Amino acid sequence: MEEQTQQEAASPEVQKRVQDSFDRQGLMGHLGARITHIGPGRVHIELPARPEVTQQHGYFHAGATSAIADSAGGYAGYTLFPEDSDVLTVEYKINLLAPAVGDYLEAIGTVLKSGRTLTVCRLEVYGVEGDQRTLVANGQQTLIRVNRPAA
Amino acid sequence: MEEQTQQEAASPEVQKRVQDSFDRQGLMGHLGARITHIGPGRVHIELPARPEVTQQHGYFHAGATSAIADSAGGYAGYTLFPEDSDVLTVEYKINLLAPAVGDYLEAIGTVLKSGRTLTVCRLEVYGVEGDQRTLVANGQQTLIRVNRPAA
Amino acid sequence: MEEQTQQEAASPEVQKRVQDSFDRQGLMGHLGARITHIGPGRVHIELPARPEVTQQHGYFHAGATSAIADSAGGYAGYTLFPEDSDVLTVEYKINLLAPAVGDYLEAIGTVLKSGRTLTVCRLEVYGVEGDQRTLVANGQQTLIRVNRPAA
Amino acid sequence: MEEQTQQEAASPEVQKRVQDSFDRQGLMGHLGARITHIGPGRVHIELPARPEVTQQHGYFHAGATSAIADSAGGYAGYTLFPEDSDVLTVEYKINLLAPAVGDYLEAIGTVLKSGRTLTVCRLEVYGVEGDQRTLVANGQQTLIRVNRPAA
């Protein structure tokens, strides 16, 4: 799934549905994160560096890194769901591979397997500084689709 | 380890070391989190409810839940480390068991196994509303101890 | 849940249902594992030491340790399911805390949260040598309940 | 790392070191698993279907699936270690994406990040039936390098 969807954009309806939901997440706005790509089964979220998202040494906090990874995966799954459904994170696991530094972080959520009830995503977070991209975190996430009217 | 340390406080030196490091974490202050207990191998962090930490339905965002869980575990491990060392999260896994609602969240990090290089912690997060405490997330975390002068 | 169920046995019907399913698992028999406790939300499985379950240094192989942990958790969840349902492992995460040595391993699966669709279990594996019990692995598992006639 | 190493074989010395260690794993022989590829940072292990590796419905048991995934990842890391070192699994997490069926399973361990102390691998398991390959499990693993004389 990964390769085909890398550049492709989701339909305008899906893009609007994802963006609207994202805009209702108080945390994402509070951190300063923004969605930069919404493709079928793939979503990118960027988080610029600033003191409000750091840990004790001035790097991005693992909690900030994980928050955008979790949201990128959740919305990647959501792009493939029917309109009257919603997405919840069941669980995720993330390895912090390198100090999370850079001008900004880019989290990429990619659907590995989309089932009727459960969806599994790969989570990747890159630290981007000028031309350089470093994989700083890698994870795996399980989502559940729930039927309910859009909030 | 859990039972003995539940009520016990760490030494004043350790408490100060943990609190100072926590105070340098821009993210924790930005979210509004505070440390409420520092025991040997056990740390509690609370996060009051407010719009800045929500997901799209007004619950606590999984990213906020995870951020305080990760910090609670990291500092729980740190209480057992020698003074000239530091702690990094290698990885963690967290299950989101129930909608994270309440007046505040309480994250509890507890050391399960403290080794020379690696430490493993249990992570629990409760939603607290008046008298009621609900386990909303449960996880497991691996930490690494690194030798370096205190920053 | 843990404390109350530690000693309690499941109903004879549930015990039979679990034991019958276990007996159909070719792998458990091939490894030499056996169920030693079936309580509501809690199952124990033991695996005696023998060369067929070792890794390169003669310890229990992580794969054997995980296999009995996964089965103990799966059956712990299964004890709480209605009769016409079945259990599948969605995912699990396990930390190998210490070399898995001893006369036998004891895996304990305990339900942390039992939902309509998903169940989350704690997995613990002890190495037992004479009087000594050492926690050698600790994990967390997500199960899904599926409706189907018993096979 | 993945792309470059897919077809490449490791040096004869490394191949021998990995194969010798694998041959000492009682569990791998007992299950009937064999190594089919040893590249730098990438190892494949196959497990033929037979009743001794099944769960209660006749599919491959999650414990068998995980065991070969864990070994494939561990040896993938080991190919990049210096000669006088050894590898231990710190932890892993695996999602079981689909019923594990087929003539045989193929587990692929691939190094994502190789550090001085810790190595992180991706774990994939495919069910292979004739021409068809289905991803049945996907995981992530943390390894630690320990210095000791080869056993």
Side-chain angles (χ1 to χ4, degrees):
Chain A
M1 170 152 286
E2 253 169 303
E3 301 314 319
Q4 310 95 289
T5 61
Q6 198 145 357
Q7 312 296 346
E8 195 185 342
S11 73
E13 291 73 25
V14 167
Q15 293 208 47
K16 180 174 176 353
R17 186 150 54 97
V18 169
Q19 186 69 55
D20 286 353
S21 174
F22 184 87
D23 291 344
R24 283 196 303 272
Q25 294 200 333
L27 182 68
M28 289 294 111
H30 190 55
L31 295 179
R34 56 177 186 268
I35 289 199
T36 53
H37 176 72
I38 303 170
R42 185 173 179 114
V43 163
H44 299 193
I45 293 177
E46 287 184 13
L47 178 68
R50 51 189 200 120
E52 287 84 353
V53 296
T54 56
Q55 38 85 288
Q56 70 274 24
H57 301 297
Y59 305 151
F60 287 92
H61 194 286
T65 305
S66 304
I68 60 169
D70 172 54
S71 279
Y75 286 123
Y78 192 48
T79 61
L80 304 181
F81 289 180
E83 206 186 333
D84 59 345
S85 60
D86 210 337
V87 60
L88 293 173
T89 299
V90 172
E91 60 84 37
Y92 67 88
K93 179 259 205 289
I94 192 161
N95 276 75
L96 302 154
L97 303 173
V101 292
D103 302 325
Y104 63 92
L105 296 185
E106 181 185 52
I108 302 179
T110 311
V111 173
L112 283 176
K113 163 78 190 255
S114 181
R116 198 163 43 88
T117 306
L118 298 177
T119 292
V120 177
C121 291
R122 175 174 302 156
L123 310 177
E124 293 161 298
V125 185
Y126 294 87
V128 185
E129 184 132 30
D131 281 359
Q132 266 208 309
R133 283 168 61 87
T134 308
L135 185 66
V136 299
N138 200 81
Q140 198 164 306
Q141 178 193 45
T142 309
L143 305 169
I144 189 165
R145 175 154 78 85
V146 289
N147 294 317
R148 59 169 147 177
Chain B
M1 170 152 285
E2 251 170 302
E3 301 314 318
Q4 310 93 288
T5 61
Q6 198 144 357
Q7 312 297 344
E8 197 184 343
S11 73
E13 291 72 25
V14 167
Q15 294 208 47
K16 181 175 176 354
R17 186 150 54 96
V18 169
Q19 186 69 55
D20 286 354
S21 175
F22 184 87
D23 291 344
R24 285 197 302 273
Q25 294 200 333
L27 182 67
M28 289 295 111
H30 190 53
L31 295 179
R34 57 177 185 268
I35 290 199
T36 54
H37 176 72
I38 304 170
R42 184 172 179 116
V43 163
H44 299 193
I45 294 177
E46 287 184 12
L47 179 67
R50 53 190 198 119
E52 287 84 354
V53 295
T54 56
Q55 38 85 287
Q56 68 274 24
H57 302 297
Y59 304 150
F60 286 92
H61 194 287
T65 306
S66 304
I68 59 168
D70 172 53
S71 279
Y75 285 123
Y78 192 48
T79 62
L80 305 181
F81 290 1
E83 206 186 334
D84 59 344
S85 60
D86 209 337
V87 60
L88 294 173
T89 299
V90 172
E91 60 84 37
Y92 67 87
K93 177 257 204 290
I94 194 161
N95 276 74
L96 303 154
L97 303 173
V101 291
D103 302 326
Y104 63 92
L105 295 185
E106 182 185 50
I108 301 179
T110 310
V111 173
L112 283 176
K113 164 79 190 258
S114 180
R116 200 164 42 89
T117 306
L118 298 177
T119 291
V120 178
C121 291
R122 174 175 303 157
L123 310 177
E124 293 161 298
V125 185
Y126 294 87
V128 185
E129 183 132 31
D131 281 359
Q132 267 208 307
R133 282 168 63 87
T134 307
L135 185 66
V136 299
N138 200 81
Q140 199 164 306
Q141 179 193 45
T142 309
L143 305 169
I144 190 165
R145 176 154 79 84
V146 291
N147 294 317
R148 61 169 145 177
Chain C
M1 172 150 284
E2 251 172 301
E3 301 313 319
Q4 310 94 290
T5 60
Q6 199 145 359
Q7 312 296 345
E8 196 184 342
S11 72
E13 291 73 25
V14 167
Q15 293 208 46
K16 182 176 176 354
R17 187 150 55 97
V18 169
Q19 187 69 55
D20 285 354
S21 174
F22 184 87
D23 291 344
R24 284 196 302 272
Q25 294 200 333
L27 181 67
M28 289 295 111
H30 189 55
L31 295 179
R34 57 175 184 268
I35 289 199
T36 54
H37 176 71
I38 304 170
R42 185 173 180 115
V43 163
H44 299 192
I45 294 177
E46 288 184 12
L47 178 68
R50 53 189 198 119
E52 286 84 354
V53 295
T54 56
Q55 40 84 288
Q56 69 274 25
H57 302 297
Y59 305 150
F60 286 92
H61 194 287
T65 305
S66 304
I68 60 168
D70 172 53
S71 279
Y75 285 123
Y78 191 48
T79 61
L80 304 182
F81 289 0
E83 207 185 335
D84 60 344
S85 60
D86 210 338
V87 59
L88 293 173
T89 298
V90 171
E91 60 84 37
Y92 67 87
K93 177 258 204 291
I94 193 161
N95 275 74
L96 303 154
L97 304 173
V101 292
D103 303 325
Y104 62 93
L105 296 184
E106 182 186 50
I108 301 180
T110 310
V111 173
L112 283 177
K113 163 80 189 254
S114 180
R116 200 164 41 91
T117 306
L118 298 177
T119 291
V120 177
C121 291
R122 175 175 302 155
L123 309 177
E124 293 161 298
V125 185
Y126 294 88
V128 185
E129 183 132 29
D131 281 358
Q132 267 208 306
R133 283 167 63 86
T134 308
L135 186 65
V136 299
N138 200 80
Q140 199 163 306
Q141 178 193 45
T142 308
L143 306 169
I144 190 166
R145 176 155 77 86
V146 290
N147 295 317
R148 61 168 146 177
Chain D
M1 171 153 283
E2 251 170 302
E3 301 314 319
Q4 311 94 290
T5 60
Q6 198 145 359
Q7 313 295 344
E8 195 185 343
S11 73
E13 291 72 25
V14 167
Q15 293 208 45
K16 180 175 177 354
R17 186 151 53 96
V18 169
Q19 186 70 55
D20 286 354
S21 175
F22 184 87
D23 291 345
R24 284 196 304 272
Q25 293 200 333
L27 182 67
M28 289 295 110
H30 189 54
L31 295 179
R34 56 177 186 267
I35 290 198
T36 53
H37 176 72
I38 303 170
R42 185 172 179 116
V43 163
H44 299 192
I45 294 177
E46 287 184 12
L47 179 67
R50 51 189 199 120
E52 286 84 355
V53 296
T54 56
Q55 38 86 286
Q56 68 274 23
H57 301 296
Y59 304 149
F60 286 92
H61 194 286
T65 306
S66 304
I68 60 169
D70 172 54
S71 279
Y75 285 123
Y78 192 49
T79 61
L80 304 180
F81 289 0
E83 206 185 335
D84 59 345
S85 60
D86 209 336
V87 61
L88 292 173
T89 299
V90 172
E91 60 83 39
Y92 67 87
K93 179 258 204 289
I94 193 162
N95 275 75
L96 303 155
L97 304 172
V101 291
D103 302 327
Y104 63 91
L105 295 185
E106 181 184 50
I108 301 179
T110 310
V111 173
L112 284 176
K113 164 78 190 259
S114 180
R116 198 165 43 90
T117 307
L118 299 178
T119 291
V120 177
C121 291
R122 175 174 302 156
L123 311 178
E124 293 161 298
V125 184
Y126 294 87
V128 186
E129 184 131 30
D131 281 359
Q132 268 209 306
R133 282 168 63 88
T134 308
L135 185 66
V136 299
N138 200 81
Q140 199 163 307
Q141 179 193 45
T142 309
L143 305 169
I144 190 166
R145 175 153 78 84
V146 290
N147 294 316
R148 61 168 145 178

